[in-house]
Amino acid sequence: MKKLLMIMSAVLALGMSGTAAYAAPPGEFGTDWDDPTTATPAIERPAGPSCTVRVVTHKFVNFDPYTSTYQPPAGCAGDWGKVVLDLHGAVKGRQFDRLGAMSMGGVTIFKTSTPEPSADGIEWKVEKDVTAYSALFRSPQPVWMLIGNVVNETYTGILDITVDLTFYAAGKAKNPAHTVQPLADPHREGTDQVGTVTLPRSTERLVAEVYATGSGGGCEEFWYSVAPADAAYSCAYGSGPYREVQVLVDGKLAGIAAPYPHIYTGGWGNPFLWYAVPAPRAFDVRPLTYDLGPFIGQLTDGQPHRLAVRVVGVPEGQSGWDVPTNVLSWQGSAPVTGSVTSVNDYPVKNVVTAADKKVTVSAGHRFAATGVLNTSRGQVTTSVDQTVTNDSTHTWTDGENHDELVASWSDQSIVTRLGVDPSVVRDSKRFSINGYTDVNEANRLVTKMNLLDAATVMTVGPGGVSWLRLDDSFVGEAGYTLGVPRPDRHATCVSQQTYKLNNQVTTVRTVNGYRV
């Protein structure tokens, strides 16, 4: 830590382009620190007229949800170029990180976790582009939001939350779905979701999205470090850490995805690491998406069909997952017909080796499907080829005083459409965790973490070739003394998040809770 602080001080002495100049940060954490922030750039918003509708105003103190009724903005009727959700939060005192979600018309449109506060109080903001759900916003909808919280003499932090929707008239939305519906009750937690959907008979495109999180404070919140049942580890059950989120259509596999390894702001036993800058996706939990194009032909007969979501790798009866699911569809001008022409579900690989406080994993799965759809504009053949992998090495010492994980995931999908409006979309995601917690001889808990959330998307279509490249990284180290009153913990932290989107780079650096 001392070496990292010396390096940071040297960098500061040289100056850093694009970073605000601050006075020297304190030598350790005090009772207050900067409001949490991220390096994620602000959403670009169209110029011109806009209308804002407040949909949530609530102080969350328990596990009772907030409910209200949304009314469309009278001053911004018609199609919108963009719709942005803005959350503002405030909390002070003592409180754990909490997981929250918001739905409209039963459709989950936002999922988040909260920062842990300082004694003096913090505020934070989250924004999300929700234009994809525009079909919902055209009519009144029931609003539901819950951030489960406990407030008592010990945990005093009340979560004061507002959520606004801002509608921008200018610009052109990128073809939002015509129909958006929930698969089942999104407010029921569990490792699966099962429901029925009846699609319009003219459906030409179909996507499922799953807001999958391992959460709840138990071992599945840290599913990526679960050891197999025969290992001598505190979270040991089942066959180890491999998890996969699957979508099934009428009881048959239709899509696979690797869940993102979320780390919330109390994660890895060291909130000091996350006070000023959270881990990637902590404030904006993004859904997993599945292109179900090959299966449209069997779903457009006007009858209800069973869709299900399940988390592979979680033992029967084990709690800790939440998988609210939405179904988005786009319609053409006339009924369609079609069929699934091929399905290839390759064997799941999950090689786990456990020996003497060490677990290694090499796992993966491939799934591919093709379907034909006859539309009023001609025939469309859609092929989806998906591959997910997970490799990890997990080591620990007696008493788990040193607990270390080096893990990586990949999630690649290739969607090819032939016929009308031909295109190829290749989406390659990569996630990694490289970190440890250590309790040293001075009884100081030290956590060091290096995280990566990366993606490369190539799209080939009638307009040519386009690329999107994302690299969102976090690196930090924090330590504090265990078993003493807070003023005697002498907590320290150095952290940095770097967000690269194509040619745009944004960086946030902190020392002991203050941006530098």
Side-chain angles (χ1 to χ4, degrees), residues 53-60 66-68 88 102 143 145 159-164:
V53 177
R54 178 147 294 179
V55 290
V56 175
T57 303
H58 192 62
K59 291 179 171 63
F60 290 94
Y66 168 85
T67 60
S68 67
H88 176 271
M102 175 183 165
V143 176
M145 186 173 189
L159 296 164
D160 190 353
I161 302 294
T162 62
V163 179
D164 294 329

Side-chain angles (χ1 to χ4, degrees), residues 164-362:
D164 294 329
L165 294 177
T166 300
F167 300 82
Y168 296 89
K172 182 175 178 59
K174 294 182 179 180
N175 191 25
H178 300 144
T179 304
V180 184
Q181 56 186 308
L183 174 58
D185 180 3
H187 314 139
R188 181 191 70 85
E189 292 189 2
T191 57
D192 57 13
Q193 282 260 316
V194 179
T196 59
V197 294
T198 302
L199 294 180
R201 301 191 70 169
S202 59
T203 297
E204 294 185 2
R205 185 183 174 204
L206 183 64
V207 171
E209 57 178 26
V210 182
Y211 284 86
T213 52
S215 53
C219 289
E220 285 299 305
E221 180 172 327
F222 309 98
W223 54 267
Y224 42 79
S225 60
V226 168
D230 57 353
Y233 187 68
S234 55
C235 285
Y237 49 81
S239 57
Y242 181 68
R243 302 289 183 266
E244 179 184 306
V245 183
Q246 299 183 342
V247 171
L248 295 87
V249 172
D250 290 332
K252 296 181 179 180
L253 187 62
I256 63 175
Y260 184 78
H262 297 96
I263 298 179
Y264 309 116
T265 58
W268 286 60
N270 198 334
F272 292 98
L273 186 57
W274 319 108
Y275 277 146
V277 179
R281 303 201 199 190
F283 288 172
D284 183 10
V285 175
R286 302 202 297 270
L288 310 175
T289 59
Y290 304 76
D291 191 314
L292 300 181
F295 303 91
I296 295 175
Q298 75 179 57
L299 299 173
T300 50
D301 56 2
Q303 300 299 312
H305 289 266
R306 186 176 185 268
L307 267 66
V309 174
R310 66 186 180 195
V311 182
V312 173
V314 181
E316 186 76 25
Q318 178 71 38
S319 62
W321 280 85
D322 183 40
V323 289
T325 301
N326 303 325
V327 179
L328 292 76
S329 60
W330 291 254
Q331 282 73 53
S333 60
V336 301
T337 61
S339 62
V340 180
T341 57
S342 68
V343 173
N344 292 291
D345 181 13
Y346 298 86
V348 176
K349 170 191 174 185
N350 188 14
V351 179
V352 181
T353 304
D356 192 25
K357 306 180 187 65
K358 180 179 180 180
V359 174
T360 59
V361 175
S362 179

